[in-house]
Amino acid sequence: MVRTRFAPSPTGYLHIGGVRTALFCWLFARGQGGEFILRIDDTDQQRNVESALAPILHGLKWLGIDWDEGPDIGGPYGPYYQSQRQDNYRAAAARLLASGHAYLDYATPEEIAAEREAAQKEKRPFLYSRKYMAATPEQQAEFAGQGRSAVVRLKMPREGKLVLDDLIRGRVEFDWALEQDHVIQRADGSCLYHLASVVDDNDFEITHVIRAEEHLSNTPRQIFILQALGYPLPVYAHLPFVAEPGSKNKLSKRKLDTYLKNRDFAQVNEHGQAIAQALGLEVAKETFNPVVVDFYEQVGYLPDAIINYLALLGWSLDDQREFFTRDELIQSFSLDRVGKAGASFDPKKLWSFEDHYMRELEPTKKLELMLPYLQRAGLIADPAPAADLDKLAQIIAASGDRLKVAGDILAYADFFFAPELTYDQDAFEKRLRKPGAADLLARYRETLAALATWDVATLEQATHEFLNAAGIKIGDIIHAIRVATTGKAVGPGLYDCLAILGREETLRRIDQSLAAI
RNA sequence: GGCCCCGUCGUCUAGAGGCCUAGGACACAGCCCUUUCACGGCUGCGACACGGGUUCGAAUCCCGUCGGGGUCACCA
């Protein structure tokens, strides 16, 4: 049985790179008929683990990445928080100590640092002298007598090589003599990440460790622990990084300001910020931007689009398939089709997947998705009146491909529901204050008022007849009509807008605009 | 700096010696369509990091150089 795990530390937000890793673990497990486990790496014991974890679990759920065992649902191998498994780690550290694979070290951090600096100065690789290694009870007593306290260090081999067969990297060799005697347990008894990680992977019976490339150089010490404990080795697969837009640097939340200078990133960001603002959301740029998954949920992206895009970030099936349903992804995903080079995150390409999936979404689904946005903006009541629902369906149909994310509905529908028309000032000046515009608009109003029926076809025909009679071209008036009735320079097709508005409201708005000119 | 990984269009990638005067997608530019916006159609721009080998033949194999990245914690 294949078992993979994703082990986030509770940071308070779900990073796009982290999701990609989780996705590959999940895809692989599901494709193999295996299990996907969530484990929380909180050995650092921060205060509000629960609140820092919630957004991460929520984000994964939103994307449809589900787990078989984890902190919220438990499982046969629980608990799934490392902070609650310290006893296991301590027991392992004790075994390592007993078997001579680790030792008590009484050096102070300053002494270690001094040795490291000396080595650096002499340009030789640093290796701890083991000067304060206490091999016997006598030595322990002596060092302790000096007021020193002990940490547990790994006693790494100082000769030979480790050969790692990575599923993605292939064969990778490391010199044992270059591996440090890492601390695995602090003086206060708390255990560190590498020990914890390895012990848990074994306890959870993880068969495939699929993680980001940054862990590749940590692998030797982890394998050392595994072997010392007599545990079987999992299969390793180190994924290439998700890199910054337009660069090869690892994507990080820290460098937001740099990304904002990237045109594509900035564009996607601004679009999202505008929607957040229309919703009245209070957002901080540190937690609400295209690096954070929550951004996409708030703005109204489709999980399928994100999953599809992310799957292709470092993986491909062949030279033609681009669009995959979840099941197809699970069916076709394989680790040997994962590339080795880092892949940079391209917000515009994600956008194009979003475009594709939104376009294919059933109208009823779109409505379901978009209605809450209008309700949150206070434009439609909750529960929604049938008339509003009907109107919204018409607006969505009329907007067609213009709606890329659910939040876009705000810009395309607000003027249908808002009690008062608000004008785009530039458009108002340009289209309505234009000489002759008011006069034409007033005459057009009479044409509309005289119409026997009120639908798109009639409106279009009547408008063209009006143009002929007036001896003008459509471009001479259509913009004025749009601004006068919707307040905006852009929107769904004009006849659609008028049809949805209805005769009474259309005439009312034209009159109001005429008065405002 | 040591160690490790990586290196095909701006980006994601196809390519496992001849199918490659290197294919697709996104982006970009231009044109067409058009009442705005968006869509759509067409066209264009655009890459095998470099240098040596091996071979009849190399993007594909080998070596070197250069470049990029990661990692070197009593963080995870």
Side-chain angles (χ1 to χ4, degrees):
Chain A
M1 163 76 81
V2 164
R3 285 170 62 87
T4 65
R5 48 76 166 172
F6 178 59
S9 41
T11 52
Y13 65 95
L14 186 58
H15 188 272
I16 206 87
V19 182
R20 206 280 309 254
T21 301
L23 174 64
F24 281 22
C25 288
W26 180 78
L27 246 20
F28 180 72
R30 292 286 174 259
Q32 301 289 316
E35 288 164 339
F36 176 63
I37 292 97
L38 213 55
R39 181 227 297 161
I40 308 309
D41 281 11
D42 61 344
T43 51
D44 216 17
Q45 293 161 355
Q46 298 132 37
R47 269 136 273 140
N48 342 302
V49 171
E50 287 306 327
S51 65
L53 184 59
I56 296 172
L57 300 189
H58 178 85
L60 291 171
K61 278 180 195 157
W62 177 64
L63 288 170
I65 298 176
D66 59 344
W67 49 96
D68 302 295
E69 298 164 28
D72 55 339
I73 54 174
Y77 299 83
Y80 292 85
Y81 291 91
Q82 290 196 323
S83 57
Q84 293 169 23
R85 305 178 64 83
Q86 285 285 331
D87 288 348
N88 296 358
Y89 314 145
R90 287 193 190 102
R95 278 182 57 201
L96 256 13
L97 225 32
S99 64
H101 290 98
Y103 59 89
L104 251 20
D105 180 52
Y106 287 80
T108 63
E110 293 72 28
E111 284 160 345
I112 296 288
E115 281 198 18
R116 183 176 289 117
E117 273 170 45
Q120 206 155 40
K121 214 170 263 178
E122 293 168 39
K123 296 198 166 158
R124 62 178 161 79
F126 165 65
L127 266 192
Y128 174 42
S129 66
R130 293 180 182 164
K131 200 168 156 188
Y132 296 96
M133 171 171 81
T136 64
E138 291 72 34
Q139 283 175 303
Q140 291 175 25
E142 185 196 332
F143 291 138
Q146 297 170 10
R148 294 169 177 275
S149 55
V151 298
V152 179
R153 278 185 194 279
L154 253 16
K155 191 172 184 184
M156 299 300 285
R158 294 213 163 160
E159 57 183 20
K161 281 183 187 301
L162 169 72
V163 177
L164 168 67
D165 281 309
D166 189 279
L167 239 36
I168 293 169
R169 310 275 138 192
R171 160 183 281 243
V172 184
E173 291 189 5
F174 296 89
D175 234 330
W176 279 125
L178 265 10
E179 294 298 320
Q180 303 299 321
D181 288 355
H182 284 278
V183 174
I184 54 174
Q185 186 173 18
R186 296 186 180 97
D188 67 3
S190 62
C191 293
L192 275 342
Y193 170 74
H194 291 291
L195 211 218
S197 179
V198 154
V199 168
D200 284 342
D201 283 348
N202 179 73
D203 288 348
F204 290 178
E205 296 181 33
I206 301 302
T207 58
H208 297 253
V209 171
I210 302 169
R211 62 197 348 180
E213 191 186 343
E214 60 185 300
H215 287 288
L216 187 55
S217 43
N218 295 151
T219 310
R221 95 185 59 144
Q222 297 186 352
I223 288 182
F224 174 79
I225 299 174
L226 245 12
Q227 288 177 332
L229 256 14
Y231 293 155
L233 261 39
V235 174
Y236 290 96
H238 287 94
L239 268 22
F241 282 116
V242 172
E244 306 169 340
S247 128
K248 290 295 178 197
N249 292 28
K250 185 173 91 165
L251 187 67
S252 130
K253 184 183 89 141
R254 295 279 167 85
K255 298 205 278 182
L256 224 205
D257 290 337
T258 313
Y259 309 155
L260 257 14
K261 292 189 186 110
N262 174 286
R263 187 179 64 166
D264 295 343
F265 188 92
Q267 211 170 309
V268 168
N269 181 248
E270 277 159 29
H271 172 257
Q273 299 291 345
I275 289 172
Q277 198 177 6
L279 281 174
L281 282 179
E282 299 248 347
V283 295
K285 74 171 185 181
E286 290 76 24
T287 51
F288 188 80
N289 61 256
V291 176
V292 181
V293 171
D294 184 55
F295 173 89
Y296 299 99
E297 183 182 356
Q298 298 296 340
V299 171
Y301 281 68
L302 296 167
D304 284 345
I306 296 175
I307 293 289
N308 197 154
Y309 169 72
L310 251 22
L312 259 20
L313 206 54
W315 173 84
S316 69
L317 180 64
D318 54 33
D319 61 340
Q320 24 197 305
R321 290 288 305 276
E322 276 242 282
F323 297 110
F324 295 85
T325 64
R326 252 160 233 268
D327 285 343
E328 287 168 342
L329 234 28
I330 290 169
Q331 289 303 316
S332 27
F333 182 81
S334 72
L335 257 10
D336 56 22
R337 295 281 321 167
V338 173
K340 295 179 180 181
S344 63
F345 174 62
D346 181 352
K348 271 298 188 61
K349 184 131 188 177
L350 202 197
W351 178 263
S352 79
F353 276 94
E354 171 66 19
D355 181 23
H356 173 87
Y357 280 94
M358 191 57 89
R359 194 180 290 238
E360 297 206 324
L361 202 63
E362 299 284 326
T364 52
K365 286 268 165 62
K366 275 195 196 180
L367 188 138
E368 208 173 288
L369 217 55
M370 294 175 179
L371 175 62
Y373 282 83
L374 293 166
Q375 292 176 318
R376 282 161 66 192
L379 293 164
I380 293 183
D382 186 8
D388 282 356
L389 247 25
D390 183 54
K391 200 199 264 190
L392 180 55
Q394 292 180 54
I395 296 166
I396 289 173
S399 300
D401 299 336
R402 295 171 182 84
L403 303 167
K404 307 295 189 194
V405 303
D408 282 339
I409 193 65
L410 292 169
Y412 283 92
D414 57 352
F415 54 82
F416 287 110
F417 295 103
E420 280 313 312
L421 201 52
T422 49
Y423 297 99
D424 173 322
Q425 277 311 314
D426 290 343
F428 187 87
E429 289 299 324
K430 186 173 172 193
R431 303 303 187 184
L432 291 180
R433 287 253 157 82
K434 189 171 118 181
D439 181 48
L440 272 177
L441 194 57
R443 284 161 59 198
Y444 181 68
R445 182 212 184 279
E446 296 319 311
T447 302
L448 293 182
L451 250 31
T453 51
W454 192 266
D455 56 47
V456 173
T458 311
L459 284 162
E460 184 163 3
Q461 196 196 336
T463 303
H464 282 287
E465 281 165 10
F466 173 81
L467 296 176
N468 286 337
I472 56 172
K473 286 179 299 189
I474 188 137
D476 296 330
I477 188 174
I478 195 149
H479 302 291
I481 302 170
R482 177 183 292 283
V483 177
T485 51
T486 71
K488 300 192 176 193
V490 302
L494 182 66
Y495 306 119
D496 286 305
C497 286
L498 300 186
I500 295 168
L501 240 24
R503 184 200 312 257
E504 191 184 337
E505 182 64 11
T506 298
L507 296 181
R508 190 185 75 77
R509 289 186 180 193
I510 291 178
D511 290 339
Q512 185 190 329
S513 298
L514 249 15
I517 298 171

